[in-house]
Amino acid sequence: MPDRIYNFSPGPATLPYEVLVQAAKDIVNFNNKGIGLIEMSHRSKEFIQVVDDCEALLRELLAIPQNYKVLFLQGGASTQFAMVPMNLLGSGKTACYLNTGTWANKAIKEAKLFGTVDVAYTSELTNFDRVPGPADYTISAEAEYLYFVSNNTIFGTQYQNMPETEKIVVCDMSSDILSRAIDVSRFGLIFAGAQKNMGPAGCTVVIIREDLLDRCPDTIPTMFRYKTHADKGSMFNTPPCFAIYTIGLVLKWLKKIGGLAAIEKTNRDKAELLYQAIDKSDFYRGHARKDSRSLMNVTFNLPTPELETKFVREATAVSLDGLKGHRSVGGCRASIYNAFPYEGVEKLVGFMEEFEKKNG
Ligand SMILES: *Cc1c(COP(=O)(O)O)cnc(C)c1O
């Protein structure tokens, strides 16, 4: 392996090195067929096999029940903010949203274009430092579905226990899908942009319960209907070929290292190491409330913005890259997704101790 920096980028994010090597080979010559992966017809036998393998692995790893469809779509997770209400809401109807930060907020804005939105919870007053527990909100009786964001990438919060209700549950899992085991049968629809925890940008995975495919009003354009893509196995039009293929490689890697049980343990170990470093110091201050802390994005502040700038600059100089926090929170953020190695967190913790000694 050449010298790789430790990449704490929130997304697109670090990928397993072996995945990058394999992808680089296949872009030029796929399976020694004399044709590059990204110049092959999406209707070729070879590429259909790529999609089928990717879907089968995703179904296996997440234990997706038979009555769910898996779709590989384009337009990013942000397109789902509109597609969800387009397909599941309808004018005059109400949906319940939990506002835990930027991504939830953007989804609320889009849903309002298609129906009534009941924002049953918001942590805006405390700058989105927490996610709600079951006692913190009420889902109104007329709500068609409950919408929430399982991991809040920007603020570094995550549900330890996912909200439960008899209603249809819709979840934006863009930044923690495949990081831990989930019970898919509790959800009506899960979506996730690939570029945080699954692969490169360009593909959004949608997992949708089959009975929801028929709820879409007739007025919705073809490309924005889940049913269009479900009926054609994500091949209604040209799918994001390279992204799907690379997701497949990441899933193979994930299976090889032990699947969700193994990766969850590693994710917990990595996050614990970093949170311990934050908790034992008065110099570093975690943004998220302890019961809402994310295993994927660790957000923290230093005593002053000047020190934060210096911290990020000096960390970058020793190959700890991408630690600058999002502009809406400031401070620092270490994104430690599935493919981020434990040693990188150890190195960061060592750097943090040194930095505090010199500047504290
Ligand atoms: C990154 C992110 C998005 C936006 O994804 P795009 O693919 O850029 O549209 C949405 N939700 C969450 C939770 C994210 O982390």
Side-chain angles (χ1 to χ4, degrees):
M1 200 199 294
D3 275 349
R4 298 236 312 147
I5 61 170
Y6 288 115
N7 175 11
F8 291 93
S9 167
T14 195
L15 289 170
Y17 181 68
E18 63 191 70
V19 166
L20 298 176
V21 171
Q22 186 66 47
K25 268 191 200 143
D26 284 339
I27 279 185
V28 180
N29 189 0
F30 179 70
N31 274 351
N32 295 319
K33 296 213 181 300
I35 180 172
L37 172 89
I38 55 174
E39 49 178 3
M40 265 162 47
S41 165
H42 60 294
R43 311 228 179 252
S44 65
K45 189 167 96 271
E46 286 79 14
F47 190 73
I48 288 174
Q49 191 64 50
V50 167
V51 179
D52 288 350
D53 289 350
C54 181
E55 179 175 338
L57 265 173
L58 192 64
R59 285 185 176 276
E60 181 184 335
L61 285 163
L62 280 172
I64 301 173
Q66 276 309 313
N67 62 325
Y68 284 74
K69 293 283 191 198
V70 174
L71 313 177
F72 299 107
L73 306 183
Q74 303 194 49
S78 298
T79 297
Q80 294 308 308
F81 300 164
M83 251 177 107
V84 165
M86 274 180 174
N87 282 260
L88 302 183
L89 198 50
S91 75
K93 294 187 176 167
T94 301
C96 178
Y97 278 67
L98 305 179
N99 184 7
T100 51
T102 311
W103 299 119
N105 226 338
K106 288 189 170 183
I108 289 166
K109 182 167 168 254
E110 298 301 289
K112 283 180 177 166
L113 299 171
F114 301 96
T116 305
V117 177
D118 175 22
V119 181
Y121 173 86
T122 177
S123 46
E124 192 169 4
L125 281 176
T126 51
N127 199 20
F128 301 112
D129 66 343
R130 65 196 69 180
V131 295
D136 297 326
Y137 60 92
T138 316
I139 304 166
S140 63
E142 72 268 23
E144 298 288 322
Y145 62 81
L146 170 71
Y147 180 106
F148 72 99
V149 181
S150 56
N151 182 73
N152 296 280
T153 324
I154 290 173
F155 297 91
T157 65
Q158 186 178 30
Y159 289 85
Q160 259 92 77
N161 299 297
M162 303 270 203
E164 275 186 77
T165 164
E166 295 303 306
K167 306 267 185 200
I168 298 165
V169 178
V170 177
C171 183
D172 175 357
M173 267 185 217
S174 292
S175 53
D176 69 349
I177 193 165
L178 294 163
S179 70
R180 55 180 171 175
I182 53 162
D183 179 358
V184 173
S185 72
R186 277 171 42 192
F187 297 87
L189 190 154
I190 293 167
F191 68 86
Q195 71 272 22
K196 312 285 167 56
N197 220 7
M198 271 189 297
C203 180
T204 307
V205 171
V206 173
I207 301 166
I208 180 170
R209 210 173 62 214
E210 275 168 357
D211 62 286
L212 301 183
L213 294 170
D214 295 317
R215 292 173 61 106
C216 188
D218 295 336
T219 50
I220 300 306
T222 311
M223 276 297 285
F224 297 103
R225 299 166 165 266
Y226 291 120
K227 194 165 190 314
T228 300
H229 303 284
D231 286 349
K232 298 283 188 215
S234 301
M235 292 279 185
F236 173 77
N237 70 324
T238 318
C241 300
F242 176 69
I244 296 172
Y245 153 85
T246 312
I247 292 170
L249 293 183
V250 171
L251 297 176
K252 254 183 231 165
W253 165 82
L254 190 50
K255 182 175 172 177
K256 191 181 79 183
I257 63 168
L260 296 194
I263 203 74
E264 177 170 353
K265 186 181 177 305
T266 313
N267 286 335
R268 285 193 185 285
D269 291 346
K270 287 187 297 189
E272 199 178 312
L273 187 62
L274 194 41
Y275 284 122
Q276 269 172 6
I278 289 169
D279 287 343
K280 72 171 196 215
S281 126
D282 293 326
F283 187 74
Y284 301 103
R285 210 162 11 87
H287 175 72
R289 210 171 66 169
K290 282 187 186 174
D291 64 359
S292 300
R293 282 174 161 176
S294 168
L295 301 185
M296 300 278 99
N297 312 96
V298 178
T299 45
F300 57 97
N301 290 85
L302 278 66
T304 65
E306 292 70 34
L307 279 169
E308 285 163 347
T309 306
K310 188 174 184 214
F311 178 89
V312 171
R313 192 180 59 235
E314 292 184 7
T316 309
V318 293
S319 299
L320 298 166
D321 193 70
L323 287 163
K324 189 170 165 18
H326 190 272
R327 57 195 175 279
S328 53
V329 211
C332 305
R333 169 175 52 173
S335 296
I336 47 175
Y337 299 117
N338 283 358
F340 190 93
Y342 187 84
E343 306 79 62
V345 179
E346 286 181 318
K347 180 164 174 180
L348 173 60
V349 166
F351 173 81
M352 286 167 74
E353 284 165 3
E354 284 299 304
F355 190 87
E356 181 176 352
K357 261 186 225 149
K358 282 190 219 139
N359 299 279

